Amino acid sequence: VQLQASGGGLVQAGGSLTLSCAASRSPFSISDMGWYRQAPGKQRELVAIVTGGGRQNYADSVKGRFTISRDNAKDTVYLQMNGLKSEDTAVYYCVNSGYSDLDFQWHDYWGPGTQVTVSS
């Protein structure tokens, strides 16, 4: 699986950004797609994830501000981020997870990360 993310950048506090991540050569019939982030000096944390069945989960810190969605036809996941805060500054990683059709094992595939910087 190759994951290509885009949409990161620099934005002022209160602003918005939309991240997108497209998966290619996916071995999954059904998979979860989502976003994690890692700020300097901190562990990587879940931001939001959408399951193959469409169920969404969000970190408490982003509920009401971020919205995750996916286009299954394009194997693409989006993260609409509104009301950005300085504490949202991090490298955002997309992930595509599921049981492979090839070996029936669980796999997590990570994108290279995209920087989001929120200036106060």
Side-chain angles (χ1 to χ4, degrees):
V1 176
Q2 289 186 332
L3 298 171
Q4 184 171 359
S6 61
L10 174 64
V11 65
Q12 289 187 334
S16 299
L17 282 175
T18 300
L19 305 181
S20 63
C21 179
S24 60
R25 297 190 293 179
S26 173
F28 306 126
S29 296
I30 300 174
S31 66
D32 300 342
M33 298 188 79
W35 296 91
Y36 282 69
R37 68 186 180 188
Q38 188 167 18
K42 295 187 177 182
Q43 291 186 333
R44 190 174 297 190
E45 62 176 2
L46 172 70
V47 177
I49 197 161
V50 54
T51 68
R55 182 166 54 91
Q56 300 170 0
N57 289 311
Y58 295 92
D60 288 342
S61 59
V62 306
K63 284 181 180 177
R65 299 188 297 122
F66 291 9
T67 302
I68 191 169
S69 61
R70 65 189 292 172
D71 183 335
N72 289 328
K74 297 181 179 179
D75 275 339
T76 299
V77 63
Y78 305 94
L79 185 68
Q80 175 66 43
M81 305 184 291
N82 298 325
L84 283 161
K85 305 175 181 180
S86 57
E87 51 263 44
D88 295 318
T89 295
V91 177
Y92 283 69
Y93 298 90
C94 64
V95 62
N96 187 202
S97 303
Y99 287 100
S100 169
D101 294 340
L102 302 178
D103 60 12
F104 309 107
Q105 300 298 310
W106 183 269
H107 293 276
D108 297 306
Y109 295 103
W110 294 89
T114 184
Q115 177 71 46
V116 172
T117 302
V118 183
S119 62
S120 57

